[in-house]
Amino acid sequence: MLNHTTPEQQRRLVTEMPGSRSAELDRRRLEAVAHAVTPTLPVFIESGGQGILVDVDGNHLIDFGSGIAVTNVGNAAPAVVRRVQEQAAKLTHTCFLLAPYESYVAVCEELNQATPGDFVKRTALFNSGAEAVENAVKFARSFTGRNAVVAFEHAFHGRTNLTMALTAKYDPYKSGFGPFAPEVYRAPLSYPYRDGQTDGVAAAERTIAYLDKQIGGPNVAALVIEPIQGEGGFIVPAEGFLPRLQQWCNEHGVVFVVDEIQAGFARTGKMFASEHFGIEPDLVVTAKGLAGGLPLSAVTGRAEIMDAPQKGGIGGTYAGNPLACEAALGVFETIRSEGLLDRAAWIGSVIRPQLEHLQETLGIVGDVRGIGAMQAIEFVDPVTQVPAPEHAAAVAQACHSAGVVVLVAGTYGNVIRLLPPLVIPEDLLREGLEVFTRAITERDALVGLTG
Ligand SMILES: *Cc1c(COP(=O)(O)O)cnc(C)c1O
């Protein structure tokens, strides 16, 4: 029988943050858990649902993080819980490479249908985002017979060896962990707020000049790019940038790989962020929002590319585990039944004007950007526009103390990104936004240089 409980949808702080139980668990953490695995929040979470996370001391926090864009359909979403419970009672594992099962195929069918592009597609499933990105490169190298891979400034693609090489930011992701995979090249991005180039085609020409001169199209297997960068700080490329890059890929037989791990799955008001930019990737990489919190990732794309590797060359022991596949089917079901594409766009329409008002009135807010329920603020020095990570840290800290979970991002650590679950109740969304706005306004007043 369904054993599903949703916590009361209300922000409520009943102890200091952290409370005594969280503090005790944190002492155990420091004894038992490797210290490099460093949580942001000082509290331990016990349950969650829609827009609330409940900690072990009974504090109810508004969730503006969705576990980093994972629980887009809400935490412990009913359709996900029901399917996982039923599946767990029946069959937990066979390894799809050994003995297949229907749900794996059903998830691949859903992804082939949902991803942009009206061509014949195939999908392969994996466990983590990084694993899927690595496999996208394997498909591309196998198909093209080439080695070089192009990634971008401010990119984040994961923490395995190849994806560390693709990731831009050194600290904390790469320091001390080299040597990194060879044949990875980093190209200039379109970052309108910082590079001043609002013409995306012109920005792409600058990137292409670099690619042509310093790597050479015929050497490139894959160009890997996030349509809107996640960890990099929700950088939205100028209009025309992505289509021009896709065109360059087509001209040179380069596989155009779009990493939709953070921006995908209804987050931006479309199923995939690529749809906002008019691009049809050769391969789409998904993870995070795909399975509502169970570990599942995928590469989806052109059949001729996906069918290139030798038989048995792709897979994994747990890849496409039956529980995770059922969870993903529950996610697709929920996105449809709850109308979450429209809901994400609506969330954006609530958040965006408030943030833009702050940008107009406060000196520390340099830029506001994002699409749909994926919005961010970049904090700067009011006079020099130099990145100001201390403002982002202070605002995030103030939100956490007030019971609102927000995430810091950006190469310079000066961005706060908002990723509420798409099912968050309206009053929680507005209340969380109010807490966030107040924290920023107070910080700005403290800096004292506004106007
Ligand atoms: C999180 C993320 C990854 C890595 O996913 P993991 O599941 O943590 O390995 C890759 N790309 C993007 C854009 C991400 O946001």
Side-chain angles (χ1 to χ4, degrees):
M1 272 299 91
L2 184 62
N3 176 19
H4 184 254
T5 51
T6 302
E8 193 189 347
Q9 295 297 299
Q10 210 164 47
R11 179 172 66 113
R12 190 168 65 232
L13 298 182
V14 296
T15 70
E16 296 279 284
M17 299 281 274
S20 58
R21 286 187 174 166
S22 278
E24 174 53 27
L25 285 172
D26 208 49
R27 279 191 286 277
R28 280 172 57 193
R29 173 183 73 82
L30 287 166
E31 286 297 314
V33 181
H35 289 189
V37 187
T38 321
T40 300
L41 285 186
V43 297
F44 280 68
I45 304 300
E46 194 167 68
S47 63
Q50 293 172 288
I52 288 288
L53 293 171
V54 185
D55 78 11
V56 291
D57 292 286
N59 296 300
H60 284 49
L61 318 175
I62 296 179
D63 181 9
F64 273 6
S66 301
I68 318 186
V70 168
T71 53
N72 293 356
V73 296
N75 227 302
V80 172
V81 172
R82 174 175 48 79
R83 284 173 168 276
V84 170
Q85 283 183 341
E86 285 172 10
Q87 183 62 43
K90 244 184 347 201
L91 178 80
T92 49
H93 176 79
T94 64
C95 185
F96 192 79
L97 294 173
L98 174 63
Y101 37 88
E102 181 178 348
S103 56
Y104 186 114
V105 179
V107 171
C108 294
E109 288 168 346
E110 289 274 18
L111 281 164
N112 294 345
Q113 182 66 37
T115 46
D118 196 13
F119 39 80
V120 181
K121 294 176 206 151
R122 311 255 195 268
T123 291
L125 301 180
F126 305 97
N127 299 289
S128 68
E131 193 186 355
V133 173
E134 291 238 14
N135 276 280
V137 172
K138 283 164 72 172
F139 286 114
R141 283 180 169 157
S142 173
F143 176 71
T144 59
R146 306 170 181 177
N147 294 324
V149 181
V150 173
F152 284 81
E153 297 169 336
H154 311 288
F156 182 87
H157 297 291
R159 299 168 179 272
T160 58
N161 188 264
L162 175 60
T163 57
M164 274 194 294
L166 295 171
T167 291
K169 194 175 178 178
Y170 231 83
D171 186 46
Y173 304 125
K174 300 168 77 163
S175 278
F177 302 145
F180 304 110
E183 284 303 310
V184 171
Y185 298 87
R186 189 162 317 287
L189 185 75
S190 163
Y191 186 167
Y193 175 64
R194 295 238 162 248
D195 66 19
Q197 181 56 271
T198 53
D199 178 344
V201 176
E205 294 303 342
R206 179 185 54 195
T207 300
I208 288 166
Y210 167 82
L211 299 176
D212 283 339
K213 291 208 174 56
Q214 302 196 40
I215 313 165
N219 299 313
V220 179
L223 183 146
V224 183
I225 192 163
E226 298 158 83
I228 301 172
Q229 287 188 329
E231 306 302 301
F234 289 10
I235 301 166
V236 183
E239 198 183 327
F241 183 72
L242 292 170
R244 180 67 187 98
L245 288 185
Q246 168 150 41
Q247 190 186 28
W248 180 85
C249 286
N250 293 345
E251 284 163 13
H252 295 281
V254 174
V255 178
F256 185 52
V257 180
V258 174
D259 179 346
E260 289 263 9
I261 291 172
Q262 194 155 152
F265 276 86
R267 175 54 54 189
T268 62
K270 304 223 184 254
M271 199 57 182
F272 295 100
S274 293
E275 298 167 51
H276 292 286
F277 302 102
I279 50 172
E280 291 184 351
D282 296 317
L283 300 180
V284 175
V285 186
T286 54
K288 294 198 164 93
L290 168 59
L294 273 82
L296 188 68
S297 62
V299 181
T300 302
R302 290 183 183 276
E304 62 272 27
I305 301 171
M306 295 296 293
D307 290 340
Q310 61 281 12
K311 296 224 173 342
I314 298 289
T317 305
Y318 297 114
N321 168 273
L323 301 182
C325 285
E326 285 296 331
L329 295 174
V331 166
F332 279 105
E333 192 180 308
T334 306
I335 289 173
R336 284 192 278 264
S337 67
E338 302 292 312
L340 293 187
L341 299 180
D342 290 345
R343 180 80 187 165
W346 174 81
I347 288 173
S349 77
V350 173
I351 295 178
R352 187 59 177 251
Q354 285 224 34
L355 302 192
E356 280 173 353
H357 178 70
L358 294 178
Q359 185 184 14
E360 282 155 23
T361 52
L362 304 181
I364 64 169
V365 178
D367 194 24
V368 168
R369 56 180 178 250
I371 303 181
M374 182 175 190
Q375 297 286 340
I377 279 187
E378 177 161 350
F379 293 95
V380 296
D381 180 286
V383 177
T384 62
Q385 316 293 302
V386 165
E390 65 277 14
H391 301 329
V395 170
Q397 175 62 45
C399 288
H400 296 164
S401 303
V404 177
V405 178
V406 296
L407 287 160
V408 171
T411 298
Y412 315 108
N414 67 326
V415 174
I416 290 184
R417 53 180 154 167
L418 304 182
L419 290 164
L422 306 179
V423 294
I424 190 170
E426 178 170 356
D427 58 331
L428 287 184
L429 176 65
R430 293 193 187 276
E431 188 183 340
L433 205 47
E434 214 169 279
V435 169
F436 181 54
T437 316
R438 202 178 317 128
I440 296 169
T441 309
E442 284 172 11
R443 179 71 191 179
D444 188 80
L446 198 65
V447 174
L449 288 164
T450 300

